[in-house]
Amino acid sequence: MQYYPFDSRNPLYRSVQTALAAGSPLRLRLLLHRDAACTEAYLRLRRDEQSEITEIPLSPGEWLEDYQIWDTTLSCEEGLYWYAFRYESANGNFFVIQAEHSLGIVSQTDGVWWQLTVYEGDYQGPDWLAGGIIYQIFPDRYCNSGIKKANLPSDRFCQPDWYAQPAFLQNGQADNLGNDYFGGDLAGITAHLDDLKALGVSCLYLNPIFEAHSNHRYNTADYFKIDPHLGTEADFVALCRAAKAQGIAVILDGVFSHTGDDSRYFNKYGRYETLGAYQSPASPYASWYQFTHWPEQYHSWWGVPSLPEVNELGPDFLEFITGENGVIRHWMRLGASGWRLDVADELPDAFLDAVRRAVKAEKPDGYLLGEVWEDATNKISYGVRRRFLRGRQLDAVMNYPLATALIEFLRGGNARDLLDCILTLREHYPPEAFHLSRNHIGTHDTARILTQLGRPAGAEGDRAWQSRFLLNAEEKARGKRLLKLASVLQYTLPGVPSLYYGDEAGMEGFGDPFCRAGYPWGREDKDLLAHYRTLGSFRRTHPAFQKGEFIPLHGEMGHIAYLRESHEEVILVAVNRWCDPVTLSTPDRFEKAQCIYGQRVVGGKLTVGAEDYALLVLPKQ
C-alpha cells in the first residue's frame, strides 16, 4: 500500500481533525519509507506572531509495511501555529511540507506549512441554534402590514407598487439611491411567523432596523430608535415575543464601524436637535469621529463621505455601545437573542471583546455572528492577525468560503474543490464555530442564487443591463434544478443554513439593488416553496444535523457524497450535478436505510439521477 509522509486530514497522522482545544493532547505521526534511511526526525512548530522555530524530536515506532512511524504528542496554549517536519538521513537533510490539499511531500527545501488553530478549551456557542435554520430578512422588502406609519421623513420616496423593481437611476445616471421605500415593516414579519415556522426557521436575522435615512439602514442615524417606516419599539417587542412563542429567535444587525452623516451624532444636515460632531467640536459626540480638518475632512468608511467612521475604542463610544445601558444590552433586554456584526474584520479586537462581554452578560447563550468573507482563523486585517474564533470573541462567522465553493461546483466546478473547502474549514475551525457558521448562498450583498445558477456563462453587464435581465424558461428551469441541489448541500453540511428571504419563492435579480425587491406574495414559485418546506422539516427532525460528524465518501468531478453521523443515526447525502445519472459505492449497511428521497442502495451501489440528489437515513441500533 502507498502511504504519504503526512496527511493532516487522516487520523492515522493527526489524531484531532479539527482545531485543537488549549491544553488537550495532539498526536502527530510522520511515515517514512525505509528507503529514506531516516536517522532523526523532528516536528517543526512556530507560533504565528513569533519567528522562532521549535524543533520537537519524533520518536521512531512501529512499521506499516515498508513505512516507519515517527511520532510525538504535544499540547499548546491558545493561539495560531504553523507546523511541518524535517528529517535527517544518510542521504542528507529533508523537509516534509504541505502540497496539494492536506498531503505532505518530501522536499530538499522548506515550503508551505500546515495550520494549527488552538482555541480556549471552554469555547461554547449557543446550543439552541445547532440543527436550526436562519432566515434573513431585508425589512423594507418582506411584508407591508398596511399599518399607517407616523412621523415619516418627508424626503423619502414611498414606492406604491410592491412588485416594482428597486430604483437604480437618478437623473438618467446609474446609481444606488437607497431612497425608495416599499413599506415593509416589523408587524408584517410578525404576521407571517406561521409561514416562517413552516419553513423550519429557528432564527430570524434582520438587516438594520434602527432609524437611518436609506432603505438599507447601514448609515445609522439613531441606535436607540426603530426606523419609523418599520414601526415602533413596541412592534419590535411584539415581534420578539410572538417569534419566541413559535420557537424562533431574533438577531439584529449591528453597524458599529461607522454612522450616517445624517444622524443625530454627526448631524451634517441639521436634521436633529442634538449638537452633532459636524456642527461643533464641542459636541458630546465629537470624540466619536476623527477630523483631519474640521468639519469637511474626516475619516469615512471606504472613503464614502456619507459614512463617517467612528473611533470604536474611544471611551464614550465604547460605553455607548457595550456599556450596562448601551445599545447591545438595551435591544437584548427587549427581546433580541444576538447580533450579526457588520464588517467585523474592520472592528478592533478590543471592541469585539467588549461586545462579546455585553452579549454574554445579558444572555449567556446569545449568538454573536461576524461578517468575515475569508477563513476567519487566519484572516489578517489592518496588519493584524485576527483571533475571531479562538474563544473570546465571535461564536461564528458568515461562511463565504463555503458559499463560493458551493456555487462554483454547481456552475461546473470540480466537487474535489468543494470537499477541500469543507475539510479545510473543519481542520481550521473550532468544532463549535464549524457547526454554528452561517451557511448562506445568497444575501443582500450578492445576486439572487437563482440568477447565479440559471444565467448562462458570461451573461453580465452594467446596471441598466441587469435591470432588464430575466431568466428565460429554459434557464429558469435549470436554475431551479441546481438550486434544489444547492439547498440540499446547504441544509445538510455542517453549519447553520441561512435562507435569504424570497429565495424559496423563486426570486431573481443581480446584486444591490436588484436582489432587494419585495417578496412576491401571491406570486411564489409553489414547487420551490414546497421543496424548502420539506427540506426544512427534514433538517429540523434529524439530530445528525445538529453537531453530527461529517464523513466524506466521494468528491470528484460532478458528484459529492458524505455522511452526517450522530449517536442516534447516520444520514447519507449524495448530490449529482451531471446531466447523466451516476452510480456511487456506499457502505453495505445502507441497504437497510430509509430512503427519504432518490433511489435505494442495492448491492452497495447508489444511483443518483441527472441533476438530482439522494437522502437516506439509517437509525442506529
Side-chain angles (χ1 to χ4, degrees), residues 558 576-583 608-612:
N576 174 30
R577 69 156 174 77
W578 286 119
C579 295
D580 296 304
V582 64
T583 299
V608 185
E611 294 183 337
D612 210 351

Side-chain angles (χ1 to χ4, degrees), residues 154-391:
S154 60
D155 54 352
R156 296 182 179 185
F157 169 68
C158 298
Q159 171 58 258
D161 181 2
W162 179 261
Y163 301 102
Q165 185 178 84
F168 75 103
L169 291 177
Q170 183 175 35
N171 299 324
Q173 301 297 315
D175 186 23
N176 177 25
L177 306 184
N179 194 44
D180 55 332
Y181 292 79
F182 282 56
D185 52 22
L186 299 180
I189 299 172
T190 304
H192 285 282
L193 287 173
D194 286 343
D195 295 312
L196 298 173
K197 184 69 173 180
L199 287 168
V201 172
S202 58
C203 179
L204 283 179
Y205 154 49
L206 305 181
N207 287 110
I209 62 173
F210 308 131
E211 180 169 284
H213 302 292
S214 66
N215 56 41
H216 55 74
R217 301 185 177 89
Y218 281 93
N219 53 341
T220 312
D222 190 334
Y223 286 106
F224 282 100
K225 183 180 178 183
I226 300 293
D227 190 272
H229 248 111
L230 298 179
T232 65
E233 185 175 288
D235 291 327
F236 174 73
V237 172
L239 169 61
C240 291
R241 287 177 178 170
K244 184 177 181 181
Q246 294 270 30
I248 300 173
V250 177
I251 65 170
L252 299 177
D253 210 334
V255 186
F256 302 134
S257 69
H258 54 271
T259 69
D261 62 347
D262 192 3
S263 66
R264 65 169 56 255
Y265 316 111
F266 202 74
N267 212 12
K268 186 173 184 177
Y269 307 104
R271 184 189 296 267
Y272 294 91
E273 75 285 356
T274 54
L275 187 66
Y278 181 87
Q279 297 168 306
S280 171
S283 166
Y285 307 110
S287 65
W288 287 22
Y289 306 95
Q290 185 175 346
F291 290 89
T292 54
H293 190 276
W294 183 86
E296 295 296 341
Q297 296 178 15
Y298 48 86
H299 289 195
S300 60
W301 186 77
W302 286 66
V304 180
S306 62
L307 301 175
E309 279 188 332
V310 299
N311 174 17
E312 297 95 343
L313 298 182
D316 291 343
F317 184 78
L318 194 63
E319 179 68 18
F320 182 86
I321 299 296
T322 69
E324 173 70 24
N325 297 306
V327 173
I328 296 289
R329 301 186 70 169
H330 172 79
W331 293 104
M332 294 188 75
R333 287 167 184 162
L334 290 177
S337 294
W339 292 83
R340 177 261 192 189
L341 298 181
D342 184 56
V343 294
D345 55 354
E346 299 182 25
L347 300 172
D349 279 327
F351 180 79
L352 293 179
D353 295 344
V355 170
R356 180 181 180 83
R357 288 193 295 270
V359 168
K360 301 302 180 179
E362 201 61 43
K363 294 182 180 178
D365 64 349
Y367 183 49
L368 186 57
L369 173 73
E371 181 191 15
V372 180
W373 286 58
E374 302 84 9
D375 183 327
T377 60
N378 53 39
K379 167 79 176 183
I380 295 176
S381 59
Y382 299 94
V384 176
R385 183 83 73 180
R386 307 307 299 270
R387 50 182 173 84
F388 300 124
L389 299 180
R390 301 216 295 261

Side-chain angles (χ1 to χ4, degrees), residues 583-588 591 599-607:
T583 299
L584 306 174
S585 298
T586 70
D588 291 338
E591 293 194 23
Q599 301 183 27
R600 300 186 63 85
V601 172
V602 178
K605 301 293 183 181
L606 172 65
T607 299

Side-chain angles (χ1 to χ4, degrees), residues 2 31 63 69 92 95 164 201 235 285 397 405 416 513 518 539 548 555 558 561 564:
Q2 175 68 44
L31 269 64
W63 288 78
I69 296 174
F95 299 91
V201 172
D235 291 327
Y285 307 110
V397 294
R416 178 63 190 268
R539 175 177 173 81
R564 295 298 308 279

